[in-house]
Structure formats: C-alpha cells, structure tokens
Amino acid sequence: MELNKNTDPDPADPKVAAPPVADDRYLLELSGVNKSFPGVRALDDMQLNLRYGEVLALVGENGAGKSTLMKLLSGVYTPDSGEFYLRGRPLRVSGPRDAQQQGIAIIHQEFNLMPDLTVAENIFIGQEKPSGGFLLNNRTLNRRARDLLERLHLPLDPRTPVGALTVARQQMVEIAKALSYDAQVLIMDEPTAALNDAEVATLHELIRHYVSPDTGVIYISHKMDELKAISQRITVIRDGQYIDTLDTATTSMGEVISRMVGRQLNVNAKPENVHGGREVILSVQGLSTHGLLKDVSFELREGEILGFAGLMGAGRTEVARAIVGADKRSAGTVKLRGRTIDPANPAQAAKYRIGYLSEDRKRYGLLLDQSVTTNIALSSLAERFSTAGFVRDRPAKAAAREYVAQLKVKTPSISQITKNLSGGNQQKVVIAKWLLKDCDVLIFDEPTRGIDVGAKEEIYGLLNELAEGGKSIIMISSELPEVLRMSHRVIVMSEGRITGELAAGDANQESVMHYATLRPDENAADAVELGLVDPADSDNTHQHGKEA
Amino acid sequence: MSTAEVPVAARRGMSDNVRMRLQQLAAFAGLIVITAFFAVASDHFFNYDNLVNNILVSTVQIGILALGTTFVIITGGIDLSIGFGIALTGMMAGTFLITWDLPLGLGLLLTLVVGGLIGLVNGFNISILGMPPFIATLAMMLVCQGLPIVISDNGASIYFDDLPAFQDLSGGTLIPNFPNAVLIFLVCAVIAWFLLNRTLFGRYTFAIGSNEEATALSGINVKKWKIIVYTVAGVFIGIAGIISAARIGASPSAGKGMELQAIAAVVIGGTSLAGGKGTIVGTVIGALIIGVLNNGLQVMGVPQEWQYVILGVVILIAVYIDMVRKKSATAAG
Ligand SMILES: Nc1ncnc2c1ncn2[C@@H]1O[C@H](COP(=O)(O)OP(=O)(O)OP(=O)(O)O)[C@@H](O)[C@H]1O
Ligand SMILES: [Mg+2]
C-alpha cells in the first residue's frame, strides 16, 4: 500500500492544527492515542472528536485501525497511551461492562451473538433484571424484547434462536441489542456490511431517531454512498494515523477515497465485459428445498459471471447451499457438464470442482486460530501442496505470499494468526483460498463484504481474469452496483423463486428492483412491504410502486 | 415486514427445537427399550426391589455427578475430577464425622465445602490461568485419587456404622419404600433444572458455551461465571460423595471410573460436547440408561469385562448421536 504524503492534512485546517484539549463542546474527544500489537502499530497518535448530536463517519482502508480504535472505546483493548474525554471529563474504560455503564454501546464488526440463545436472550444479555438478583422470567424478557423490536420496526420473533436467523437478521439483533442500552455514544462498526439497500435505509432511519442533542454516533463503513446519506462529518484515517476530518456536505466522495488510500483511484471504471456465453457448464432444474426454494432453474455458462440479485431472504444463499449440498434439496436436478450430480456436502461439491465461498466467514469460512498460510492453502492441500500425504510447506507458503501481495492483505507476515487480521483482511484470506483452489465453478456469496474500495477493485479484476480464463462464477451480492457492474447476466430472486433474468444490457437499478420486489404468487402491489421501509423513504420501492 | 422470511426463520427455529426434543425422545425410547429387554431376558430384573433399591440407588451417584457436569459441558468444558472427587469428599466426610466426631450438620456442610473447593480450584485453573479444562481436571482427578489414600489409614475405608443418622441419608426412607438417596437425587435434579432454566447462572452457562467471546463482549464477567460453574459442579461432587459414603462407607477407591459414566450420561441425554446446548431432563434419562445397563448386565451375569465393552459401545453410540445432531444443526444454520 503506497503512502502519498501529499494528501496529508492541511496544517492550516484549525481542526487538525489545534492541540486537542478537553472541550465540552464535544461529546467525545480522543487525542494522542497509541496502540500496538506484536509486529503491528495499529494506532499511531490517533485523534477523533465527536460532536453532540452528530453522526461521524470513520473511514479508512482495511487494517487502517478503525475497529481497534473503537475497541479501545468499548473496553475490549486498553490503549498504550492517549487521552480520552467524554462530555469534557476524562474517560477511562476498564471493560465492556464498564463501557456500557458509562454510556458507550458498540456493534462490533464481527457478529457477537450467542447462536443457541433466543433473540430476546441475546438482546438483553447482561441486562436481564432478574428478580431477587438471579431469578429470570422469560415472559417478561420476551415482552421487553417485543416492545423494543416493535419500537425499532424490526420484524423479529423474540423467541427464535439466533443461530437460525440469516446473517442480515442477526445484524438486526445486534442493532437492537446496542440500542437497548440507551447509550449516549453509539458505535457501529460496519453495521451495513450484511444489509441490502432497503435494510440500510431502515437502519439509517433508526439512527436518525436515535440521534438527539445529547447523543452521538460513530459510524464505520466502506460503502461510500452511505456516508453521504447518514453522516455530518467524515474522519479519515490511514495506516493507524489520523488524516483529516471533512464536512460531508461539502466533500466529494472521490476526495474522501483519495484521502483514504493516499492516491487517486478510479472507482467507476467498468471492466471489459467479456461475453462468456459459451458451453453450458452448470444446469439447475426445478431446484426446491423444504424451506424456501421453489422450482429454481437456470444455466451457467463457461467463462460467465452470473449475478444473483434480490432482497434479503429472497433465497440466493439457499440456492448456493442447495447446489453444494450444504442444505438438502427436496426436488430438482443439478447437472455439471450434462452429468447429474448430487453432492452430499460442500466437500463433495469441491471434488466436482464447485467452490462455495460462504457469506458468513466466521462460521464457515476460516480457521481463526490458524495462520494465514494454513487458511489460504487449506482447501488445496491435497491436490497441490502434498506428496504422498506429506505437506510441502514451501509451495504453500509461496502461494500464500503471492495472494497476500496480490490482494494487499495487510498482515505482518503470512504466519500471522488469522484472528488478528482486521475484518476486511480476513475476508481477503477467504477469497484467496478459493482463488487458489482450482475450481471450474465458483460461487461467491457476498465476496466483497467489509472490503475497502481499493481492494474491491483488485478483487473485481481477479474475478474478471478468472472468467476470461474460462471459469464460471456465480456472484451473490446485496450491493446492486457490484452485481450490475460485474455480471454478464443477472438473475433476480424473490421469495425463493427466480422472478427475472436480465442480460447485462438490460440490467439496471430499476429493472432489478422491479423483479426483486415481485411477489411470485400474489399481487405484486404488496411488494413494497418486503422492503421493510415506508415506500416514501426508498427510491427503489417507490420505483416499483409505479410498475404495480 | 418481510413476510417472505419470518415463516422460514420460525420453521428453522422450530425444527431446532424439535430436533432437541427428538434427541430426548430417542434417549427416553432407548431407556424403555433397554429396560424392556432386561425385563424379558432376566427374571430378576423387573421388580420394584431391583428397580428402586438396586438400579435407582446405584444410579444416584452417577446421576448427581452428571447433573453438575451438565453445566460444565454446556459451557463447552469437561470435568474429569468428579469420579475420584467422590473418594475425596467421602473420605473427608469420614474424617469430619468419625475421626473428628463433628456434629452431623457441620460435617455435611464441610464436606460440601470440600466439594466446592475442588470445583473452585478447577474453575480457577481453567478460567483465570487459562488451562484447557481437560488438562486442569485430569490433574485434579489425580489429586483426588491420591489424597484420600493419604488421609486414610493405609488406604482403609471409614465406616459409619456408629452413625446411623448419616447412613439414613442413603438407606433411610422418608417416604415409605422409597430410599432417601433417590429422593435426594430427584431434589438435586429439580434444583439443577431450576438453576439451568430459571436463573442468570443458567442463562450465562448457555451463553458462554454458545459463544464465549460474544458473551464477554456483552459485558458479562465470563471468568467469574465459569468459576461458579465448576464450583457448582464441585458441590454436586460433595453431595454424591456423601451419598456414596452413607451407602457403603468412605473408601479411597470410591467413584473410580464414574467420571466417564457421568459424562456419558450427559452426552446420551443430548447435551452437546461442543457447548451451548443441553437439558437436565436429558441428563437424568442418560443417567438412568447407564444405571439400567450396569444393573441389567450384572443381573444377567454378563462378566465384568464385557460390561466395560458394552458401556464403551454405548458411549460411542452416544457421541455419534451428538455428532449427527451437530452436523444437522450446522446444515440448518
Ligand atoms: N488482536 C490483534 N493482534 C494483532 N494484530 C491486530 C489485532 N487486532 C488488530 N490487529 C492489526 O491492527 C491493524 C488494524 O486493525 P483494525 O481491525 O483496527 O482495522 P480496520 O480499520 O477495522 O480494518 P477493516 O476495514 O478491515 O475492518 C491491522 O493491521 C490488524 O492486523
Ligand atoms: Mg474493522
């Protein structure tokens, strides 16, 4: 990652030049913050000011130090040094509980839920208010949860075990949990990474309700368009150092990005659209599951990138899981080059050279306690990096090194434990694993989740290269611009069925949203309901209202 | 609201629940089948005397150990010290009540404290020092194996024939024809159920086993609660030690091998060794299965060595069921 010192803060800017002092005009004020990990200087003389009643966006590349800074505030890590003020008074946080009690709530980047516990139990963990100090009453707990969820307009049943929810719904539980603390400072570390546009709009609505002259929000995201929508100011950091704080209204996103990466980055360049459209490699007919999917049929061609769009819960992940055998099918056939296959699990699917990159990296994608090399090489160990059962370390390490460089994984070394990488860099490791494994069909479920703008470009480039090389790719993404830009063809799903198929030329925001909100069995007019938002709040569903 | 998905989530949640119930039902059906088998195969098996005075009474110790261990296993841990813990707490009961001639109530209380201390040390080593539960409790198991011999007179047992009030804890009948030991087991089961399902302690036990890091980040003092979990398991050791001593006297070799039987009971009852899932009802059924097997094989005259083999096979089956359940749970997630 190159550093271009030219874009460093303008010393004339008073916000930067003035030595930060305790100032009760700020809700939260940090300065001179340092934090190192073995081999990594995560934060280097960092500063940050949060005003009363504002949403402050915090941006920076993967590994810039955003999550680390927030973990200092929420009591997960202790700083090596630094000054912290809350409402002008010195702040010391001794642990997560202490942070909560001092009015700081956080939604961590990684999910922090107990999958075996119910929604209500998760939301109120640590705030159960037991009678007599230890007696629990589930009915009261569920009622409190229902009240909260209703107030937040979140469509969740308090009694569902969280492990049974989709990633997006789990994120809603996290949001409800954070809002349940009645905190003054709310920190959200990539809260929208797993959400689609409609859900993001709902979240932003929640944030606007939450912000009052007495509270403030620190909002971390890699989605630039969100920053415009929600924040008043944007603090940019790079390589653990403070760069600048910009007024959102008067700053272009291009400027934010160039500050972030320290160089000019052309984000909107559309890669050449090599039309695949050759021999059919994967043919899915009448695929159904007991849960959601009904009669899903489509074909994937060699060298094609096939995009899957749709709202949350439309069934895109389920299609992938049913194909690779992670979920049982109730009907339907999958043909690979004309041969019917029925893999019992993803490992068998991999033998057929079908790779599946799961949307939930922590649960299915990574060995968090193992090194970067082990993770990247893992699924190719047998074919590539072993002789007669003995692992050959050197080529595995060489491959790991190559991908770490290519994807710009920020890590002190390839033997770093994966858990210690930043969220976006962990995602890059998962991607590297599947890029390395020589699959014919690659199913990427939300591949760029939590990945910064610059690295996204690298990944898009790699995907294009793979497709040009004859690989076929199914790309499931909730980021519509990404689907539109990368796909040769777009399949749109709604409620477990395919409602539309669009050629690259016909696919645009409106046409995709039209099919995504189409209800396969009922009157399409109800579709607005699906978006979880008031139609007036969302252009997308609004658009659809006309169609109906 | 997304009408598309709520039913799906609900269905998944339900099937999760159903799966749990099925597992319990399977265990219960297993218990019935095994009991029926022995009833048919042996004339001496299916009568009140054998069922209650032999099977239930001899299940009590394993059962009580299993109750305490259920909490430990739900947190994702394991406790190997419970078996010889019976020997140590039993010998301590003997020391308090016979050697030192302390009053009964005080002696019992001190014995429970000793049990709690075993658990407290386990909890400290695991939670504060960060030792793996397997290692920490294996070491404690050795300590509990050795200490009773040290405090005994050359490994001799201590008998309580002069203290019938103590012996009545096991053999007496507060309810006519119903040994006190079984009564105590039932009371322990109810208390354990209550702790697990109705208290903060139980909620945090599940939370820690489900995702320890997330629990800590939610502001829960995970270290403290883990120590409490092991300490509670230790108190259950104390209870089992008292029952054992009351029944057959305190012996330095009491409880030998019971840790594995108790763990097997917990697993057969559907508690996941991976943590996060488990029920007390399941554990009770699991303990009964082990008790019926032990007794039935004995009554049928199956040689001791084959009893071990069969128990081993049952443990394998139980662990296999646990694995299958885990796998289907992952697929559903
Ligand atoms: N526990 C840890 N041990 C070692 N290194 C760590 C640890 N936590 C973070 N780091 C390192 O500190 C740096 C900053 O990480 P951080 O998670 O704050 O990045 P981030 O800005 O949140 O990135 P992302 O956008 O990918 O989430 C990274 O280089 C990371 O590898
Ligand atoms: Mg981060």
Side-chain angles (χ1 to χ4, degrees):
Chain A
M1 151 168 355
E2 311 100 87
L3 275 181
N4 186 343
K5 291 290 175 195
N6 292 340
T7 54
D8 273 359
D10 176 4
D13 187 339
K15 248 174 271 138
V16 181
V21 285
D23 183 340
D24 55 12
R25 280 178 309 144
Y26 290 116
L27 174 55
L28 184 73
E29 203 179 348
L30 320 178
S31 60
V33 179
N34 290 294
K35 176 74 188 172
S36 294
F37 298 106
V40 186
R41 182 121 200 224
L43 294 173
D44 182 1
D45 196 22
M46 178 60 64
Q47 57 175 323
L48 180 137
N49 297 323
L50 176 67
R51 291 179 180 158
Y52 286 96
E54 94 170 330
V55 177
L56 175 73
L58 178 61
V59 300
E61 288 181 295
N62 294 135
K66 306 179 292 297
S67 299
T68 304
L69 186 60
M70 297 305 114
K71 283 178 182 167
L72 295 181
L73 278 174
S74 58
V76 179
Y77 298 146
T78 35
D80 298 341
S81 63
E83 305 204 18
F84 295 71
Y85 298 95
L86 182 66
R87 312 176 154 267
R89 275 198 299 260
L91 169 74
R92 263 211 59 222
V93 185
S94 65
R97 154 82 7 121
D98 189 36
Q100 286 164 15
Q101 279 164 352
Q102 302 204 45
I104 301 172
I106 181 163
I107 299 175
H108 285 284
Q109 181 174 10
E110 303 297 342
F111 283 129
N112 275 296
L113 297 168
M114 284 61 74
D116 301 303
L117 268 50
T118 66
V119 170
E121 289 167 353
N122 265 285
I123 291 176
F124 291 116
I125 183 116
Q127 336 171 56
E128 288 88 353
K129 299 195 191 142
S131 50
F134 71 105
L135 270 190
L136 295 179
N137 183 334
N138 277 333
R139 206 165 308 146
T140 338
L141 199 71
N142 286 336
R143 183 152 28 80
R144 278 168 71 200
R146 194 165 298 121
D147 289 349
L148 177 71
L149 292 167
E150 249 162 46
R151 191 152 55 82
L152 303 178
H153 303 289
L154 295 177
L156 294 167
D157 182 343
R159 291 162 307 175
T160 319
V162 159
L165 298 175
T166 57
V167 177
R169 276 167 188 275
Q170 292 184 357
Q171 183 66 67
M172 293 181 179
V173 177
E174 294 261 21
I175 292 165
K177 183 174 162 187
L179 290 174
S180 75
Y181 294 123
D182 288 326
Q184 292 157 20
V185 178
L186 177 59
I187 299 169
M188 303 183 131
D189 196 348
E190 301 193 33
T192 57
L195 304 185
N196 68 25
D197 292 352
E199 293 146 14
V200 171
T202 314
L203 175 68
H204 286 180
E205 208 45 55
L206 288 177
I207 293 177
R208 282 185 205 108
H209 273 292
Y210 168 81
V211 173
S212 70
D214 209 31
T215 61
V217 174
I218 300 176
Y219 185 96
I220 300 178
S221 177
H222 290 292
K223 300 183 182 174
M224 292 297 142
D225 44 347
E226 281 177 8
L227 308 185
K228 268 266 188 262
I230 193 69
S231 73
Q232 280 82 56
R233 294 187 307 149
I234 302 174
T235 291
V236 183
I237 69 174
R238 189 199 312 148
D239 283 333
Q241 290 177 324
Y242 177 83
I243 300 296
D244 203 354
T245 297
L246 308 152
D247 278 319
T248 311
T250 57
T251 314
S252 79
M253 284 307 119
E255 194 179 336
V256 174
I257 292 171
S258 60
R259 284 291 173 90
M260 218 172 101
V261 300
R263 66 196 137 94
Q264 214 62 39
L265 187 80
N266 200 352
V267 203
N268 292 318
K270 196 162 166 125
E272 281 134 75
N273 232 339
V274 208
H275 266 279
R278 280 171 282 178
E279 181 197 344
V280 173
I281 177 158
L282 190 76
S283 155
V284 174
Q285 284 298 327
L287 188 69
S288 305
T289 63
H290 289 296
L292 183 62
L293 298 185
K294 301 217 175 45
D295 196 22
V296 170
S297 305
F298 67 91
E299 286 180 341
L300 175 69
R301 290 168 185 280
E302 201 176 272
E304 180 178 47
I305 300 181
L306 181 62
F308 266 70
L311 299 179
M312 171 190 79
R316 296 163 303 164
T317 295
E318 282 79 359
V319 169
R321 292 179 57 92
I323 291 175
V324 299
D327 289 342
K328 276 218 183 75
R329 319 175 192 155
S330 59
T333 54
V334 176
K335 283 189 182 152
L336 185 69
R337 294 204 175 79
R339 219 177 95 215
T340 303
I341 58 166
D342 189 3
N345 50 47
Q348 243 180 52
K351 290 222 175 80
Y352 291 119
R353 299 160 70 84
I354 301 176
Y356 172 53
L357 180 146
S358 158
E359 64 174 335
D360 188 349
R361 67 166 170 265
K362 208 168 180 182
R363 194 140 48 127
Y364 303 119
L366 280 175
L367 310 177
L368 284 171
D369 291 318
Q370 298 291 321
S371 70
V372 171
T373 309
T374 306
N375 273 287
I376 293 181
L378 185 69
S379 51
S380 318
L381 268 188
E383 299 113 60
R384 289 198 175 188
F385 303 125
S386 64
T387 326
F390 291 98
V391 176
R392 289 181 296 133
D393 260 336
R394 206 167 306 151
K397 282 191 177 145
R401 222 169 268 123
E402 185 190 321
Y403 278 100
V404 163
Q406 196 167 9
L407 295 177
K408 301 201 171 65
V409 180
K410 194 179 173 196
T411 172
S413 91
I414 56 166
S415 33
Q416 174 75 304
I417 303 299
T418 318
K419 193 165 61 181
N420 292 339
L421 298 191
S422 81
N425 286 304
Q426 289 182 10
Q427 181 69 13
K428 292 182 195 172
V429 169
V430 186
I431 292 188
K433 175 169 96 177
W434 286 108
L435 293 180
L436 177 62
K437 176 148 180 93
D438 197 18
C439 286
D440 295 336
V441 176
L442 281 163
I443 307 177
F444 285 123
D445 199 349
E446 307 289 354
T448 61
R449 168 173 298 168
I451 286 189
D452 70 50
V453 262
K456 265 185 191 168
E457 295 303 314
E458 306 289 340
I459 289 170
Y460 295 156
L462 280 168
L463 290 186
N464 275 321
E465 264 174 45
L466 284 174
E468 278 165 42
K471 310 272 182 212
S472 310
I473 296 170
I474 292 177
M475 176 159 161
I476 301 170
S477 173
S478 297
E479 279 181 57
L480 203 44
E482 174 173 289
V483 176
L484 293 177
R485 161 180 173 177
M486 294 299 298
S487 312
H488 299 128
R489 241 175 348 129
V490 178
I491 285 182
V492 191
M493 291 190 67
S494 170
E495 301 194 5
R497 294 171 196 260
I498 292 182
T499 46
E501 186 186 320
L502 298 158
D506 307 327
N508 55 42
Q509 183 101 14
E510 288 85 48
S511 60
V512 169
M513 283 317 290
H514 167 69
Y515 289 114
T517 50
L518 210 57
R519 301 191 70 172
D521 31 12
E522 284 170 53
N523 190 337
D526 299 353
V528 175
E529 246 197 294
L530 272 172
L532 296 169
V533 263
D534 193 59
D537 283 336
S538 158
D539 287 341
N540 306 332
T541 39
H542 197 58
Q543 175 70 30
H544 176 65
K546 274 184 276 174
E547 305 271 355
Chain B
M1 105 174 228
S2 163
T3 43
E5 221 206 350
V6 166
V8 179
R11 218 175 298 143
R12 281 175 170 176
M14 227 169 61
S15 73
D16 218 45
N17 238 326
V18 167
R19 210 175 288 122
M20 198 78 185
R21 296 252 169 76
L22 273 182
Q23 163 79 12
Q24 251 171 47
L25 221 62
F28 190 67
L31 177 62
I32 301 287
V33 169
I34 297 173
T35 311
F37 170 79
F38 286 125
V40 173
S42 164
D43 295 338
H44 309 292
F45 180 82
F46 202 76
N47 54 66
Y48 185 84
D49 186 51
N50 187 49
L51 288 183
V52 174
N53 290 330
N54 292 336
I55 298 183
L56 283 183
V57 168
S58 64
T59 305
V60 165
Q61 298 158 52
I62 293 171
I64 293 176
L65 292 182
L67 289 174
T69 313
T70 303
F71 292 91
V72 170
I73 295 184
I74 291 177
T75 64
I78 195 91
D79 191 347
L80 298 174
S81 64
I82 52 178
F84 280 113
I86 285 190
L88 181 56
T89 53
M91 287 304 285
M92 286 312 290
T95 309
F96 295 140
L97 293 170
I98 303 296
T99 318
W100 297 358
D101 204 15
L102 295 178
L104 182 60
L106 181 61
L108 294 181
L109 185 70
L110 287 177
T111 309
L112 295 184
V113 169
V114 170
L117 278 176
I118 298 175
L120 185 71
V121 174
N122 280 335
F124 179 85
N125 290 339
I126 291 162
S127 187
I128 305 294
L129 303 185
M131 294 182 186
F134 188 92
I135 306 294
T137 61
L138 183 71
M140 182 55 82
M141 169 179 154
L142 294 173
V143 171
C144 291
Q145 184 173 8
L147 278 186
I149 306 173
V150 175
I151 57 180
S152 75
D153 186 7
N154 280 323
S157 299
I158 301 179
Y159 296 101
F160 296 87
D161 295 330
D162 298 336
L163 207 60
F166 181 74
Q167 290 181 321
D168 276 354
L169 284 173
S170 169
T173 48
L174 213 59
I175 301 168
N177 276 326
F178 199 73
N180 285 346
V182 181
L183 193 64
I184 291 175
F185 175 45
L186 289 182
V187 171
C188 285
V190 170
I191 292 174
W193 182 89
F194 190 79
L195 282 176
L196 188 61
N197 296 296
R198 288 285 180 272
T199 67
L200 265 195
F201 170 69
R203 177 68 45 80
Y204 293 163
T205 301
F206 279 116
I208 291 169
S210 196
N211 185 343
E212 188 169 330
E213 200 187 326
T215 309
L217 289 177
S218 305
I220 313 296
N221 190 339
V222 168
K223 290 191 166 149
K224 175 183 98 183
W225 286 105
K226 268 167 86 174
I227 292 180
I228 296 179
V229 166
Y230 281 91
T231 308
V232 166
V235 172
F236 277 90
I237 299 177
I239 300 173
I242 288 171
I243 303 276
S244 166
R247 186 162 163 239
I248 50 168
S251 143
S253 61
K256 187 176 166 206
M258 278 192 195
E259 63 284 333
L260 294 183
Q261 301 203 16
I263 291 165
V266 174
V267 173
I268 292 172
T271 296
S272 164
L273 284 172
K277 294 189 178 70
T279 63
I280 293 299
V281 176
T283 294
V284 171
I285 295 173
L288 289 177
I289 288 182
I290 301 267
V292 167
L293 264 181
N294 282 345
N295 176 273
L297 295 173
Q298 223 163 12
V299 170
M300 276 180 67
V302 175
Q304 181 70 49
E305 54 274 23
W306 280 106
Q307 291 186 31
Y308 287 137
V309 173
I310 292 172
L311 186 63
V313 171
V314 169
I315 292 174
L316 283 181
I317 293 173
V319 173
Y320 180 73
I321 293 173
D322 179 54
M323 279 166 47
V324 170
R325 193 181 61 244
K326 233 186 305 171
K327 218 187 288 174
S328 53
T330 324

